[in-house]
Amino acid sequence: MHHSLIVHQHLYQPPREDPWLEVVHAEPSAAPDHDWNARINRECYMRLAQAEAHRRDARAAARDPDARAGLSRVVNLYAWCSFDAGATLCEWLDGEAPDTLRAMQQGDAASVRRWGHGNAIAAPYHHVILPLAAPRERRTEIRWGLRDFRRRFGREAEGIWLPECAADDDTLEAVAAEGVRFTILAPYQVQGHDGSGMPVRWVGASGRTLTIVPYDGSLAGDVAFGGLLRNAQALAQRFTPYRDMPMVAPRCTTLATDGETFGHHHKGGDAALLEGLSLVARHSSTRLTNAAALVANHPATQTVTLVSPSAWSCAHGVDRWRSNCGCRLDGGKPALQQWRGPLRGALEQLATHAHEVYEREGRDLFARDVWDVRDAYGDVVAQDGNALADFARLVARDGSDETALQRIRELLELERATLRLFTSCAWFFDEVDRLEVRQVLRYAARCLELSGAAARLTPAFVQWLAPATNGLAGSPSASDVFVREALPHRDHTLCVAASAIASAAAGMLVTRVTVYDVQASPVGTAWQVDTTHRRTGARASFTGTVRGAGPSLLVRLARVRSSGGVDGSEEEVAVHEFPELMAQLLLRREASEDAALLAVAD
């Protein structure tokens, strides 16, 4: 009999992209990095791909010329640790840190070669609390996650991670219905297991089964919160609890925690993990493996029941994401999260409206069932441009014109924005005016716009949000946050067009600005720019002129009518209103000119 060890890392960041531009804006709190995605990638995700093992043993150094030279051995921990990478994180990695994503894919492939089963497991596309989702939305989130996993890792997912380990019987039924073999849960979410850590079996009302791998709750707590990562030898000892004990049956120790623990929450945590695993590798009675291989090699024989609903970060089922249950980050402050329920209620009302628009209009535009189309959108949802255009043509009725195809793309984006409304982070923390709430409210504003009912429905939505407050006099409500920081106060397409005109006037050829394709051409003393949104296909044309330079640069422009000419209204857009990278590019050109110094003096 032997002892198995699994280290599972839950890697996730919420979608931080501007819903109109699809870029992450600068987040000063993440300094010295541009934003929190970039900071956490530098401190953690990238380091896990390039963990350094320093040779300290003198005899090993004598045998190893690299060690004598003071060099490190670099290990890709994604090849040795089970992990899930949330799809919204992968979206960002795709464009901003492709080497990190590539290391995850290479690590998974290496584990398939080593153990016959991959380290990577899937996750629902968005980090939503599945027991609180409607059955149709739960199904779409699972299907999108599985489709995205297949595209990124080139194989079917054997297991799935449930956000916050939030589960109820309906959620497990939905997972099992998609052919997933297993999930990982906290030991206190499962009743009837023997404590060995080996796989157990859950049986649903339908007769479907799902294997559950219970993780070690005490070990997870000591790693995440107890300082265990400060001592690699102590960590290795916890990884091998049966090293001096005879075993009459197989046992498994599973560590499951946020991947950000290793380097972001705990500096040097990646190195401690690597050293701990290296020490374990020398212990013949403990075998490092992954959850998929464990489940395949040790089919569950013990049937258990689920604590339904339950989650790994709420002692009250899943109430943390819908009520003032008392769970909060700062236990020294009073529980003032009564805003959680009204916030969810307001977003659910908006989602109902959005789904009605999608279904009503989609029935006339799609060649097949509207909800099947939404599920299939998971194949391309992380892409843009031609992939989305091709998908729209694939699902459209025969003879659909460009206007219909654009509306198809807008409706699918409406559903994408609607699903993002329920990203769990908005309810996890203590205050209603945190950036996580602001972000889901920005998706709400995008939903209103794409539904075509922004002017009519926005006042009602603001009223729905008003009760979402902590109850203290003078404290902001979610409606205050929505009006102040979520509603767009400027047409984003206008700002993109202005930046493209300013670039063209400066002699720079720019063909893409954020999520827009742009094409600028001179028209007399002015410029015309045509824009195409790469996700919705929406097109617009503007004509404009440039005045000033550096920080005083202004573009005066007007929208071009489809019939020719302009609509009569002109607006001025200053350089500070341009998309961030475009503003930096233009201002950098002026940094060594006289105008830069004069602007500071002014």
Side-chain angles (χ1 to χ4, degrees):
M1 298 300 174
H2 68 269
H3 171 244
S4 299
L5 171 65
I6 298 168
V7 175
H8 182 84
Q9 302 168 353
H10 168 49
L11 310 166
Y12 163 72
Q13 291 302 308
R16 291 189 165 95
E17 288 78 7
D18 179 295
W20 293 271
L21 300 179
E22 297 291 337
V23 294
V24 179
H25 296 305
E27 295 174 325
S29 61
D33 296 279
H34 176 270
D35 55 75
W36 280 104
N37 282 1
R39 179 166 171 174
I40 295 169
N41 179 62
R42 175 179 59 82
E43 294 179 341
C44 177
Y45 305 141
M46 185 173 64
R47 294 182 65 87
L48 288 170
Q50 304 170 357
E52 294 185 356
H54 294 278
R55 295 293 188 104
R56 296 191 180 93
D57 184 87
R59 289 173 296 177
R63 295 191 302 268
D64 188 345
D66 288 348
R68 290 200 304 271
L71 300 180
S72 302
R73 290 299 181 92
V74 176
V75 177
N76 180 358
L77 282 172
Y78 297 116
W80 298 96
C81 297
S82 172
F83 67 92
D84 67 279
T88 53
L89 170 61
C90 289
E91 286 182 12
W92 182 86
L93 292 172
D94 235 347
E96 302 298 329
D99 288 347
T100 299
L101 182 58
R102 192 175 305 114
M104 294 177 183
Q105 295 164 332
Q106 291 170 345
D108 178 68
S111 64
V112 172
R113 293 191 298 270
R114 180 182 303 113
W115 292 314
H117 300 270
N119 282 342
I121 67 174
Y125 200 90
H126 299 107
H127 203 269
V128 301
I129 303 304
L130 292 183
L132 296 180
R136 192 174 59 200
E137 278 60 68
R138 184 187 300 131
R139 180 188 67 184
T140 295
E141 288 288 5
I142 294 169
R143 289 183 174 179
W144 278 18
L146 294 175
R147 288 170 183 259
D148 189 71
F149 181 93
R150 183 194 308 124
R151 186 177 69 86
R152 294 190 188 280
F153 291 96
R155 62 179 180 83
E156 298 296 332
E158 296 185 68
I160 194 167
W161 178 266
L162 303 178
E164 299 291 338
C165 288
D168 62 1
D169 290 307
D170 290 339
T171 297
L172 297 193
E173 283 276 10
V175 167
E178 299 304 321
V180 176
R181 294 187 64 186
F182 71 89
T183 191
I184 300 170
L185 294 179
Y188 46 80
Q189 293 181 264
V190 182
Q191 293 180 330
H193 65 95
D194 60 11
S196 68
M198 297 300 289
V200 293
R201 181 178 59 237
W202 169 89
V203 181
S206 68
R208 293 190 182 97
T209 64
L210 188 72
T211 296
I212 296 171
V213 177
Y215 70 77
D216 186 322
S218 175
L219 175 61
D222 288 345
V223 167
F225 309 111
L228 189 55
L229 288 179
R230 290 195 291 266
N231 187 330
Q233 290 190 338
L235 179 64
Q237 289 175 355
R238 294 291 297 278
F239 280 163
T240 56
Y242 307 105
R243 60 191 178 280
D244 298 320
M245 300 170 54
M247 288 188 295
V248 297
R251 289 180 174 270
C252 181
T253 297
T254 297
L255 167 63
T257 189
D258 290 333
E260 297 78 25
T261 301
F262 305 104
H264 173 59
H265 297 316
H266 297 285
K267 186 176 180 180
D270 56 307
L273 175 61
L274 175 55
E275 186 174 349
L277 292 177
S278 298
L279 292 170
V280 170
R282 301 170 194 169
H283 199 284
S284 59
S285 64
T286 293
R287 300 179 184 177
L288 186 62
T289 187
N290 62 37
L294 182 77
V295 168
N297 295 327
H298 298 276
T301 58
Q302 187 179 13
T303 300
V304 297
T305 58
L306 179 72
V307 179
S308 178
S310 58
W312 76 347
S313 53
C314 179
H316 316 93
V318 293
D319 283 354
R320 184 170 192 154
W321 298 276
R322 63 181 173 187
S323 72
N324 186 19
C325 68
C327 289
R328 57 198 187 278
L329 282 188
D330 190 346
K333 292 183 179 180
L336 294 171
Q337 288 78 51
Q338 52 264 52
W339 52 267
R340 288 173 175 162
L343 175 63
R344 179 168 288 276
L347 295 177
E348 286 175 343
Q349 289 188 76
L350 177 59
T352 297
H353 166 76
H355 295 324
E356 289 172 351
V357 170
Y358 173 78
E359 185 170 31
R360 182 178 65 251
E361 296 190 32
R363 281 197 301 263
D364 296 330
L365 294 170
F366 299 147
R368 61 181 197 260
D369 178 75
V370 296
W371 303 112
D372 287 345
V373 169
R374 186 180 72 172
D375 287 346
Y377 194 49
D379 285 329
V380 297
V381 67
Q383 304 175 65
D384 62 15
N386 291 336
L388 301 189
D390 291 344
F391 183 84
R393 285 190 287 269
L394 178 67
V395 301
R397 292 184 181 275
D398 291 341
S400 295
D401 59 17
E402 289 301 315
T403 300
L405 291 172
Q406 179 183 321
R407 187 55 181 161
I408 284 174
R409 294 172 68 175
E410 289 173 344
L411 288 174
L412 290 166
E413 283 300 286
L414 170 62
E415 284 299 306
R416 174 174 174 253
T418 304
L419 292 172
R420 288 188 168 193
L421 293 178
F422 299 99
T423 304
S424 68
C425 312
W427 288 268
F428 186 84
F429 299 99
D430 298 351
E431 295 85 22
V432 74
D433 57 345
R434 278 184 61 101
L435 58 89
E436 295 84 6
V437 178
R438 294 200 299 270
Q439 187 67 14
V440 298
L441 291 178
R442 291 188 181 108
Y443 290 122
R446 182 64 167 156
C447 283
L448 288 164
E449 180 180 273
L450 290 169
S451 73
R456 175 175 60 83
L457 197 57
T458 297
F461 182 62
V462 171
Q463 290 184 333
W464 299 342
L465 289 171
T469 178
N470 64 14
L472 297 179
S475 296
S477 68
S479 62
D480 297 325
V481 177
F482 178 73
V483 172
R484 185 177 67 239
E485 300 189 52
L487 273 176
H489 298 288
R490 196 66 183 250
D491 182 343
H492 288 79
T493 309
L494 192 77
C495 296
V496 166
S499 70
I501 289 173
S503 299
M508 295 186 291
L509 176 63
V510 175
T511 60
R512 182 168 178 178
V513 178
T514 64
V515 74
Y516 289 83
D517 290 326
V518 298
Q519 184 175 2
S521 54
V523 180
T525 59
W527 290 86
Q528 179 170 319
V529 63
D530 301 316
T531 67
T532 304
H533 195 282
R534 293 178 61 86
R535 295 201 67 89
T536 65
R539 299 175 182 271
S541 295
F542 301 84
T543 182
T545 56
V546 180
R547 185 174 75 247
S552 62
L553 185 149
L554 286 172
V555 177
R556 186 173 183 84
L557 71 169
R559 189 179 295 265
V560 177
R561 293 195 300 266
S562 58
S563 58
V566 298
D567 66 3
S569 63
E570 292 187 340
E571 295 188 56
E572 286 190 339
V573 180
V575 66
H576 70 267
E577 298 177 281
F578 294 177
E580 180 184 342
L581 289 178
M582 294 299 295
Q584 291 176 348
L585 184 65
L586 288 160
L587 290 172
R588 195 175 294 123
R589 289 175 58 89
E590 307 293 336
S592 59
E593 302 296 325
D594 292 345
L597 191 58
L598 293 173
V600 173
D602 290 341

